[in-house]
Amino acid sequence: MGEKSFVLTKKCEHVAFIMDGNGRWAKAKGLPRHLGHKEACKRMREVFDTCMDYNIHVMSFYAFSTENWNRPQDEIDHLMDYLEEFFHREMPYLMKRGCQVRISGDLSRIREKTRKVCLEAIEESKDNKNFVINVCLNYGGRDDIVKAARALALEAKEGKINPEDINEEVFASHLYTAGLPDIDLMIRTSGEQRLSNYLLYQNAYAEFVFTPVKWPDFHRQEVIDCLEEYQNRNRRFGGLINE
């Protein structure tokens, strides 16, 4: 059965993904949990290819949260291994497509080898303008907001900014996602229906789609299905005007 015809006509600049269900996918197949994460990294290429085909400029992927440090150390180590493999494998392709790599999150706690690979990817792709791959690594939405508030408080204390001049635009410029558009569509796989501390500020008016499909089984057609559901939503942004 071939891919169904679908044309995205609704504005969609930024899609964010919570890549959930990797461990459960592996367990269901009798595999170690970490192999679910390995398959998850492979899936990213197909997902961002699909988004690029639909001219979605920014894609954010929740790779590792501030709460994920509570997982077993060997699982964390494997996840970092697979993230490094992802960048080594995909950077030539991302460069060819004119894709800029962004990392949202506190890299100071990430092991040195993985941090180095991430920073190299950021530096190599910094001048690319076509698309943005934003990997949320050691990221927490509350931490992001607190970090921004702390930075603004310091600037105000030092007389660099007047508190009365702090608005939403100024605040957003101090988040990890500074310069990126707000999220239009947030997709979470594997059936869970919560944000899990993910891009809380940026998701203010996003449309949420929760799919039961586990991330390692989330292929091109599943992405298109989510985009089609998004297209059928009536986005009012608090108003009463129908699209």
Side-chain angles (χ1 to χ4, degrees):
M1 185 175 179
E3 179 184 314
K4 65 183 179 182
S5 176
F6 171 68
V7 177
L8 179 63
T9 58
K10 189 187 294 289
K11 178 183 176 184
C12 190
E13 294 183 295
H14 188 172
V15 177
F17 298 92
I18 298 179
M19 306 180 288
D20 201 12
N22 305 322
R24 281 167 282 168
W25 177 89
K27 184 178 179 181
K29 294 182 177 297
L31 301 171
R33 280 179 55 87
H34 68 82
L35 291 183
H37 298 306
K38 184 174 186 178
E39 188 65 27
C41 287
K42 292 179 181 179
R43 192 61 48 236
M44 288 172 66
R45 166 73 174 267
E46 184 176 2
V47 170
F48 66 62
D49 261 354
T50 306
C51 289
M52 289 177 189
D53 288 346
Y54 282 93
N55 203 32
I56 295 166
H57 180 64
V58 184
M59 292 140 273
S60 290
F61 296 90
Y62 206 6
F64 192 85
S65 75
T66 50
E67 291 75 34
N68 285 157
W69 294 108
N70 295 321
R71 295 188 176 189
Q73 186 60 48
D74 65 331
E75 183 176 339
I76 294 172
D77 290 340
H78 279 301
L79 197 151
M80 296 302 165
D81 289 341
Y82 301 143
L83 185 62
E84 291 171 24
E85 290 175 11
F86 168 80
F87 281 123
H88 288 313
R89 181 177 65 245
E90 302 295 350
M91 278 308 297
Y93 179 73
L94 294 177
M95 293 299 295
K96 181 180 178 180
R97 295 297 300 266
C99 186
Q100 180 185 123
V101 173
R102 294 273 299 263
I103 303 290
S104 290
D106 181 8
L107 288 180
S108 66
R109 191 176 174 184
I110 300 297
R111 70 185 189 188
E112 183 177 358
K113 185 171 65 166
T114 305
R115 183 168 64 248
K116 183 174 183 290
V117 170
C118 291
L119 293 175
E120 287 173 351
I122 293 170
E123 178 63 25
E124 182 180 0
S125 65
K126 65 181 181 181
D127 295 324
N128 291 342
K129 305 295 184 184
N130 293 344
F131 301 98
V132 176
I133 297 292
N134 177 42
V135 178
C136 296
L137 184 61
N138 192 25
Y139 177 86
R142 289 180 174 179
D143 176 70
D144 196 4
I145 292 169
V146 169
K147 177 187 71 69
R150 186 183 300 117
L152 283 166
L154 182 60
E155 289 179 21
K157 180 181 179 181
E158 294 174 347
K160 296 178 180 178
I161 190 171
N162 189 323
E164 286 73 26
D165 293 331
I166 299 174
N167 54 27
E168 290 184 14
E169 183 178 357
V170 171
F171 190 86
S173 72
H174 287 70
L175 298 170
Y176 284 116
T177 53
L180 300 182
D182 282 344
I183 296 164
D184 294 300
L185 170 61
M186 198 290 295
I187 299 171
R188 181 169 189 156
T189 57
S190 196
E192 304 293 349
Q193 299 187 21
R194 55 181 177 270
L195 271 177
S196 296
N197 199 20
Y198 183 47
L199 296 169
L200 301 178
Y201 190 91
Q202 300 86 338
N203 266 309
Y205 274 102
E207 296 294 325
F208 295 173
V209 173
F210 300 106
T211 171
V213 179
K214 295 179 177 61
W215 180 261
D217 291 326
F218 192 70
H219 296 278
R220 178 180 176 86
Q221 188 56 61
E222 282 70 37
V223 179
I224 293 172
D225 289 343
C226 291
L227 292 175
E228 188 169 17
E229 181 171 344
Y230 165 79
Q231 178 134 297
N232 291 330
R233 302 279 181 87
N234 186 6
R235 304 187 76 198
R236 298 189 298 273
F237 298 96
L240 297 176
I241 300 174
N242 292 327
E243 291 184 329

